[in-house]
Amino acid sequence: MPIDAKRSLQLNDQGQLRHFLSLDGLPRELLTEILDTADSFLEVGARAVKKVPLLRGKTVCNVFFENSTRTRTTFELAAQRLSADVISLNVSTSSTSKGETLFDTLRNLEAMAADIFVVRHADSGAAHFIAEHVCPNLAIINGGDGRHAHPTQGMLDMLTIRRHKGGFENLSVAIVGDILHSRVARSNMLALKTLGCPDIRVIGPKTLLPVGIEQYGVKVYSDLASGLKDVDVVIMLRLQRERMQGGLLPSEGEFYKLFGLTEQRLKLAKPDALVMHPGPINRGVEIESAVADGPQSVILNQVTYGIAIRMAVLSMAMSGQTAQRQLNAEEQN
Amino acid sequence: MTLPNPAELLPRMATELQQLLASRGIEQAHFIGIRTGGVWVAEALLAQLGLDQPLGTLDVSFYRDDFTRSGLHPQVRPSQLPFDIEDQHLVLIDDVLMSGRTIRAALNELFDYGRPASVTLVSLLDLNARELPIHADVLGATLALATNERVKLLGPAPLALELQSLSA
């Protein structure tokens, strides 16, 4: 069974979120509930005391097997704003380098009474594996796994679009860059489809477009000019420099020349088109500085919305996991 | 059981609130309703008092002490306080006062916005089932319900009370 088909793993018996591993298979109502809850949490960030007591007494453990300062920091802030205790571990420089297995590392953390694991891993499916086989009774949040999924990034992008465009029903959204290696692109395509976006376009060099990507219900372009025509939203992807060594791209300069978002090219989109990027941006590689800092850019808003989305996902998964434990206990009695 | 008509309770509540605020030397107070029924009662009270001022609304979902048991309410909406509450006199309004836990959550939330000078509590009904030392300063009526009964406010206009039975 493909890992994305394991919808049941993510939801408890009452259909509430229990783990947050992938957007595949999650119903539109649940995605909307996450966006609505995040909307409420945005207001918390504007208060004198930027905290609510929802996760007071709970422990959130950020287990990062792969470096990511931004994602880790926003998860830390989100958990702290929910009043949780937070531990962040960079496992790549910790126990596993001393020979401890993933299984043992996580079971040790579980024994320290952690309630939620936020997992970032270079291998696709790592978060699923942990939720299914290692710590099923903890809420597992996927903070990005391999090329597979980055569901909280996908949802923060959806929140950004909804807050600036009001909805998804009449939008054309272009995702530009390295689609092949991008978990962000995959999560965005799934979320846009589920939320009813009628025109999703992926644009990139042919070497960075996966075979069979049309199955996501997207239109494929290898020419930026035709792909950007009259779109409402442009989501630029981060170009991983190591892809250059794999021979998939001739050079950064070549990529920028053909696929970099410049002020001139942005004019092909609608005049009020949003410019988004998951960060950190490579100026002069994926995007021109004048565009990244320009009036249509919502890149910094995405960061703010990311905290609210992560607060929503953490609290909803904690609640769903707790409810499941109660259901299990009631069944045993 | 015959339930009271909110329209008959509100004029007396408005008068009592006015007198109470005057006796405390409060000339200007900000009104805050707890979603959803409390907002309706607050709007009705403001109309009764002939006041045209912005109303604050609180959704206490993030502050409930039963979150781990019952989870987040799916329709949680952001609280909105269109005024600064620091050193201000507040009138906090709810529809039904039962255990007192909702008011505790509301007070906790208010103090995350600032430190008010005072909080006066108004409730349309008191179900005489308090679990915390929280009393309304101004009250519409007190009801004693059977353990399987609940009362619900229907609104926003006209306001009406409905008796509901909990299934076993």
Side-chain angles (χ1 to χ4, degrees):
Chain A
M1 179 168 49
I3 48 180
D4 281 343
K6 293 181 180 170
R7 166 186 165 168
S8 60
L9 184 61
Q10 301 199 77
L11 304 180
N12 69 14
D13 294 348
Q14 295 170 323
Q16 300 162 320
L17 198 66
R18 180 185 181 191
H19 304 294
F20 193 55
L21 310 171
S22 158
L23 297 174
D24 199 6
L26 292 184
R28 184 175 187 163
E29 297 72 30
L30 184 66
L31 299 194
T32 303
E33 188 184 332
I34 292 171
L35 295 177
D36 291 345
T37 308
D39 255 330
S40 299
F41 280 126
L42 268 178
E43 180 265 338
V44 172
R47 295 182 190 179
V49 177
K50 298 178 183 60
K51 267 183 188 287
V52 293
L54 270 181
L55 294 189
R56 197 163 65 91
K58 304 293 179 192
T59 302
V60 176
C61 201
N62 290 326
V63 196
F64 276 53
F65 295 91
E66 185 185 69
N67 285 329
S68 167
T69 308
R70 184 180 315 228
T71 302
R72 199 198 64 224
T73 308
T74 50
F75 266 113
E76 277 176 13
L77 258 181
Q80 286 167 356
R81 287 191 181 171
L82 293 166
S83 304
D85 297 314
V86 187
I87 307 167
S88 287
L89 290 177
N90 191 348
V91 188
S92 57
T93 59
S94 168
S95 308
T96 48
S97 59
K98 296 176 193 164
E100 192 176 48
T101 63
L102 164 70
F103 183 86
D104 287 331
T105 302
L106 293 172
R107 292 307 295 268
N108 271 292
L109 290 168
E110 189 181 13
M112 293 176 203
D115 298 284
I116 301 177
F117 283 167
V118 178
V119 180
R120 156 75 65 117
H121 204 286
D123 292 339
S124 301
H128 276 89
F129 177 80
I130 293 163
E132 190 162 27
H133 300 294
V134 186
C135 305
N137 296 318
L138 268 64
I140 308 295
I141 314 292
N142 187 357
D145 62 332
R147 300 180 186 183
H148 171 234
H150 197 350
T152 56
Q153 178 71 46
M155 290 309 293
L156 78 87
D157 287 345
M158 296 309 109
L159 186 62
T160 309
I161 293 171
R162 195 176 79 165
R163 288 189 68 88
H164 287 88
K165 293 290 177 190
F168 303 91
E169 281 77 10
N170 300 309
L171 293 186
S172 292
V173 179
I175 306 172
V176 185
D178 181 0
I179 311 291
L180 179 65
H181 299 96
S182 176
R183 53 198 174 205
V184 175
R186 221 170 299 277
S187 291
N188 276 332
M189 289 186 290
L190 288 165
L192 285 165
K193 196 81 199 154
T194 304
L195 290 166
C197 178
D199 183 16
I200 310 165
R201 309 179 190 182
V202 294
I203 310 170
K206 283 181 179 161
T207 50
L208 296 178
L209 289 168
V211 176
I213 194 170
E214 294 84 359
Q215 67 175 327
Y216 285 90
V218 300
K219 293 177 198 153
V220 183
Y221 296 81
S222 52
D223 169 55
L224 186 65
S226 47
L228 282 185
K229 190 156 173 47
D230 295 331
V231 295
D232 300 278
V233 180
V234 187
I235 302 175
M236 300 302 295
L237 299 173
R238 185 173 144 72
L239 190 71
Q240 310 277 340
R241 290 213 153 98
E242 55 269 30
R243 306 297 172 222
M244 245 68 73
Q245 282 125 39
L248 295 170
L249 279 175
S251 70
E252 286 180 356
E254 181 81 5
F255 181 83
Y256 183 64
K257 204 169 137 191
L258 292 171
F259 293 96
L261 189 64
T262 60
E263 278 186 307
Q264 197 60 34
R265 286 179 175 148
L266 183 57
K267 286 180 183 158
L268 296 164
K270 285 188 183 159
D272 61 347
L274 300 179
V275 174
M276 296 167 56
H277 191 295
I281 55 175
N282 291 316
R283 290 170 187 266
V285 178
E286 304 117 15
I287 193 164
E288 186 179 27
S289 271
V291 175
D293 304 327
Q296 288 169 254
S297 168
V298 290
I299 295 171
L300 291 176
N301 302 60
Q302 287 175 267
V303 180
T304 307
Y305 299 153
I307 297 170
I309 281 289
R310 282 157 186 148
M311 289 172 78
V313 168
L314 287 168
S315 51
M316 287 170 68
M318 185 72 244
S319 169
Q321 189 63 259
T322 308
Q324 186 61 46
R325 260 183 253 157
Q326 281 163 359
L327 289 172
N328 294 346
E330 281 165 19
E331 267 178 27
Q332 282 174 359
N333 289 335
Chain B
M1 175 192 288
T2 309
L3 293 172
N5 180 355
E8 291 171 9
L9 301 176
L10 282 162
R12 179 180 52 76
M13 289 171 68
T15 305
E16 281 184 23
L17 177 60
Q18 210 164 24
Q19 288 169 349
L20 181 66
L21 294 177
S23 72
R24 290 178 176 176
I26 298 171
E27 290 177 2
Q28 198 195 356
H30 295 296
F31 282 48
I32 298 170
I34 298 175
R35 207 124 51 198
T36 307
V39 175
W40 298 339
V41 176
E43 284 166 346
L45 268 180
L46 282 173
Q48 195 77 45
L49 291 164
L51 295 174
D52 181 18
Q53 62 184 59
L55 173 68
T57 56
L58 278 189
D59 188 319
V60 299
S61 301
F62 296 150
Y63 288 77
R64 294 195 64 88
D65 59 6
D66 57 357
F67 158 69
T68 50
R69 271 190 263 172
S70 58
L72 272 178
H73 192 280
Q75 264 87 46
V76 57
R77 281 175 290 169
S79 296
Q80 290 179 324
L81 296 182
F83 38 74
D84 188 4
I85 70 162
E86 189 74 24
D87 291 329
Q88 298 297 306
H89 294 285
L90 307 180
V91 177
L92 181 63
I93 301 152
D94 204 0
D95 52 351
V96 179
L97 178 58
M98 195 170 146
S99 66
R101 290 174 192 270
T102 298
I103 303 302
R104 172 197 182 261
L107 290 171
N108 283 352
E109 180 162 8
L110 281 178
F111 275 78
D112 280 354
Y113 283 92
R115 183 181 183 276
S118 71
V119 180
T120 300
L121 180 61
V122 177
S123 181
L124 185 67
L125 295 180
D126 185 339
L127 298 188
N128 212 12
R130 70 180 52 90
E131 295 167 2
L132 300 173
I134 289 173
H135 294 244
D137 298 298
V138 173
L139 186 63
T142 301
L143 294 181
L145 301 180
T147 49
N148 67 333
E149 289 178 331
R150 292 286 181 273
V151 68
K152 188 178 179 193
L153 182 66
L154 307 176
L159 293 176
L161 291 166
E162 183 184 77
L163 196 64
Q164 298 180 330
S165 282
L166 295 180
S167 51

